[in-house]
Amino acid sequence: QAQLVESGGGLVQAGGSLRLSCAYSGSQFSRSTMSWYRQAPGKERESVAVINNVGNRGYSDSVKGRFTISRDNAKNIVYLQMNSLKPEDTGLYYCNARYVKTYWGQGTQVTVSA
């Protein structure tokens, strides 16, 4: 079993930055592929960024060059650094862990004002 707790969301003006954190409780963090998803009102949840157990990263086209995913295996935390934020980045951001099973956090709200 694993539990994920996101933090770091908030209200920011367009062009600003936020750093999201996801704390993982469990024993398989270093083996897990970790991802960030987001869901805007009225839209489906979409993948934003992913980092696997050896540090390979991937991003959606909409955030490439602005967002950076990273992980600290000593602290069992995955981060999402978000720069040059746009109003269309607004949404509920979820952390996801995959290793044998899939786990989700409760989400943290990010609101970007124009």
Side-chain angles (χ1 to χ4, degrees), residues 7 16 29-30 34 40-41 44 49-51 54-55 64 68 70-71 73 77 80 83 86-87 90 92 98 102 106 114:
S7 61
F29 180 78
S30 62
M34 303 298 298
E44 292 190 356
V50 59
I51 184 167
V54 294
K64 199 172 295 182
T68 301
S70 61
R71 65 190 298 160
N73 286 345
I77 297 177
L80 185 67
N83 298 328
K86 304 175 181 180
T90 293
L92 194 56
R98 299 195 307 276
T102 298
Q106 293 300 306

Side-chain angles (χ1 to χ4, degrees), residues 6-13 16-21 36-41 67 80 82 85-94 107-113:
E6 302 97 334
S7 61
L11 174 63
V12 64
Q13 289 187 333
S17 298
L18 284 173
R19 188 177 79 157
L20 306 183
S21 299
W36 286 97
Y37 286 72
R38 68 185 179 193
Q39 187 165 18
F67 290 11
L80 185 67
M82 305 187 295
L85 282 161
K86 304 175 181 180
E88 51 264 43
D89 294 318
T90 293
L92 194 56
Y93 282 69
Y94 296 92
T108 185
Q109 179 67 38
V110 172
T111 303
V112 184
S113 62

